[in-house]
Amino acid sequence: MSEQRIRIGIIGTGAIGGYYGMMLARSGHDVHFLLRSEYAPVLERGLRVNSAVHGVLQLDNVQAYRNAAEMPACDWLFVAAKSTNNEDLAPLIVEAAAPGAKVVLLQNGLAIEDGLRPLLPEGLHLLGGLCAIYAHRSAPGVVEHQALGHINLGYHSGPATNDEARQAVLNEGVALLKEAGVNSVAMPSVEQARWMKLVWNVPFNGLSVLLNAGTEALLGDPDARELIRSIMDEVCAAAAACGFALPAGLGDKLLEGTAQLPDYLPSMYHDHAHQRPMELAAIYAAPLAAAEQAGCRMPRTEALYRALRFIGARHATQSR
């Protein structure tokens, strides 16, 4: 596949975009990075990933751009910027996309593809990319990768109008990622995959902010662990009410798996610590609305959401 010189664009070169862009570039692909505030440091010092899995990875002479209009037309676009800015991201995607490009949203939450789809040309494929990774940015152009790193892909919408065509796009994306050393699986339903990820994201992201704690402390306290489990059960019940039955025992599997990994502070914790907007609409408001429409209540999740909204509103007031 690399012989075809597929051109890949990374929109949002933070922890997620930086890591996956690095993996794709070091495997020989033609990768182009869109940056804003980190443009100058990355242009000067390159991109660096300190990985507990792969060691120290350094990419010099980064193909970096401040403006999407300056990027060459890309066949694949991996969008790793926060979902809080998707309306502003749409024009950037359009500027950087080649005709018929595949756009992969590496974002958390539910229904984010639904919101972005009307803003994109019909000829672009839109996919969801569900990342399982422990990574954060420690400095401009520097990513700390603690564990994991695979991506599940699901087709949302676009010119692939039948199952065979959609599967072909997914297979191409999976092959592209696996060639770069990134484990990837094609999912039959992007909506179900997003509900599955919410089972972890809803409790751990919000509680890390409210309780000022990482995964180790949260799981080490019996009260916090029970609260996490009860929220996980709510998310699973809401998914089922919406028509997406999740695997039996998923909550237990996620708790056990998280306990075996290094202590981790989720992305919402870092957004809160730096007083950046938190992804409350995609991770909380959207699933709550979907559950309500299906006649399912999520009282613990709603309480968590309202507490986080209070914190977010206070941050916004203080920053004025």
Side-chain angles (χ1 to χ4, degrees), residues 217-302:
L218 290 171
L219 291 179
D221 180 86
D223 291 323
R225 188 183 182 106
E226 180 57 33
L227 179 56
I228 290 167
R229 180 53 198 268
S230 65
I231 295 173
M232 285 182 163
D233 288 344
E234 277 191 357
V235 177
C236 289
C242 292
F244 302 103
L246 304 187
L250 178 60
D252 287 333
K253 182 179 179 181
L254 291 173
L255 288 174
E256 292 168 7
T258 303
Q260 295 171 11
L261 292 169
D263 186 30
Y264 181 62
L265 292 166
S267 60
M268 191 169 288
Y269 178 93
H270 293 284
D271 289 338
H272 164 67
H274 292 91
Q275 296 198 5
R276 297 188 294 253
M278 295 181 286
E279 295 179 287
L280 302 184
I283 296 179
Y284 294 98
L288 281 167
E292 183 178 9
Q293 188 172 7
C296 179
R297 294 193 64 249
M298 304 174 71
R300 295 173 182 82
T301 302
E302 183 175 357

Side-chain angles (χ1 to χ4, degrees), residues 6-21:
I6 290 173
R7 187 174 288 143
I8 299 169
I10 306 294
I11 295 182
T13 310
I16 302 302
Y19 174 78
Y20 291 114

